[in-house]
Amino acid sequence: MPDLTTVKNALRAHRIELPSWAFGNTGTRFKVFPQPGVPRTPQEKVEDAAQVHAFTGVAPSVAVHIPWDKVDDYAALGAFAKEHGVSIGTVNANVFQDNDYKLGSVCHPDPRIRRKAIGHLMECVDIMDATGSQDLKLWFADGTNYPGQDDITARQDRLAEALAEVYQRLAPGQRMLLEYKLFEPSFYTTDVPDWGTSLLHCLALGDQAAVCVDTGHHAPGVNIEFIVASLLRAGRLGGFDFNSRFYADDDLMVGAADPFQLFRILHEVVRADALRPEANVAFMLDQCHNIEPKIPAEIRSVMNVQEATAKALLIDAEALAAAQRAGDVLGANGVLMDAYNTDVRPLLGDLRAEMGLDPDPFGAYLRSGYQERIAAERVGGTAASWGT
Ligand code: RM4
Ligand code: MN
């Protein structure tokens, strides 16, 4: 059995990044239900993210989305985050919400639009320089709706050209994470629809480019842990956008729809010894809390990742390898299931107590009075929301 101190040390060192947009109002294409106390500024999003870190101890950075988190002075935003005990993490580019991008951004047939999109990506790298962020995350809504609408190969060429230009702009130590998604908003072709396409572009670019696996971006039934294992093997797993889904890109809390899948994914990470921060795999959340309260939902999500990670760390690797070598199908599966079926909540409670935290971050936050305070204080102004 793995040594409990080693397991706890791995969990203590684990880092989970929060998305600024999870704290703002979000909804579906049908309705956004506003919530009281929602941040009105990027700074207020940072304050809320800092609460999640204060109660969990493992979420010390917050990803920003540009222009949703546009400020005049990004270095000052970074300093503000630091004062609140967190830092600015991944910079997410947004080239999908401008009228010019109706037919795409970096794959658009018009060079003027492509230039504009590349300009935005360059601006995001400037922001990384100011905040000290390591990663630029790129997700493109680019694609087509109708056969014949545009040339599939020409669009790949335009994509490669744009990515190469931005890649050249990266400083040593900065990375480009290329995220894929099967479909939506495009319904016929998507220009980066899968991990193969993303990996091909990353390989062409160089070592500073890696794939981002958003767990909600696959067809139903896809074996995500297989993709994760393959990318780890190739040294090109840049990070995760964790969330869960029942149907498509549902953006629900990670571990809510399929905790077993999350465990299987984390087993591959642990097996590759890639949980350590030095392994440079970013564990990010990318979620929208449309009907549930946002800060508690982020706390619950962090706890869900920790629980799946703890179970993966508890797998008896030696017993598993021995059973695999012996061709003991049921024995090997049993080793995995024993770990999965362990109740790790007491272990995580102990760990939090050792870290000087409340063993129950969820309850502790609810009791803290923060939610009531922001609901009372954040009146006036415009609540941040998906799209602003
Ligand atoms: C996309 C993708 C990106 C996120 C946006 C908001 O579906 O998952 O990571 O930045 O949504
Ligand atoms: Mn994502």
Side-chain angles (χ1 to χ4, degrees), residues 183-376:
F183 83 104
E184 196 203 27
S186 298
F187 295 120
Y188 170 53
T189 60
T190 293
D191 293 309
V192 190
D194 51 31
W195 69 281
T197 308
S198 175
L199 181 61
L200 279 177
H201 283 284
C202 290
L203 291 173
L205 289 164
D207 285 347
Q208 286 165 260
V211 179
C212 173
V213 176
D214 184 312
T215 46
H217 287 188
H218 308 84
V222 165
N223 184 330
I224 300 176
E225 60 270 28
F226 186 88
I227 297 171
V228 169
S230 300
L231 289 173
L232 282 166
R233 189 169 168 272
R236 295 291 177 146
L237 179 66
F240 291 98
D241 265 6
F242 280 137
N243 51 54
S244 64
R245 56 79 67 80
F246 286 99
Y247 297 102
D249 189 18
D250 304 350
D251 280 340
L252 299 175
M253 292 188 296
V254 58
D258 191 347
F260 185 43
Q261 179 189 60
L262 182 60
F263 162 78
R264 297 189 315 259
I265 291 171
L266 284 156
H267 166 48
E268 295 308 322
V269 173
V270 168
R271 191 214 158 274
D273 197 20
L275 204 60
R276 303 166 296 123
E278 311 81 66
N280 226 354
V281 173
F283 299 90
M284 302 171 280
L285 305 181
D286 176 13
Q287 311 184 141
C288 294
H289 308 299
N290 301 346
I291 58 168
E292 66 275 35
K294 295 160 197 304
I295 300 172
E298 286 290 292
I299 292 176
R300 172 67 73 211
S301 304
V302 170
M303 293 169 75
N304 287 352
V305 174
Q306 286 188 294
E307 285 171 22
T309 307
K311 290 177 184 202
L313 286 162
L314 282 176
I315 293 170
D316 188 337
E318 277 173 36
L320 182 62
Q324 289 172 347
R325 273 194 308 273
D328 180 358
V329 176
L330 295 180
N333 178 243
V335 171
L336 221 75
M337 295 314 292
D338 278 346
Y340 178 65
N341 287 317
T342 309
D343 184 356
V344 293
R345 291 172 298 180
L347 170 89
L348 283 162
D350 287 351
L351 172 69
R352 293 183 188 116
E354 284 170 23
M355 291 167 71
L357 300 167
D358 192 299
D360 169 22
F362 190 84
Y365 169 76
L366 294 184
R367 288 189 296 274
S368 73
Y370 183 83
Q371 193 76 41
E372 292 76 10
R373 186 152 62 77
I374 55 174

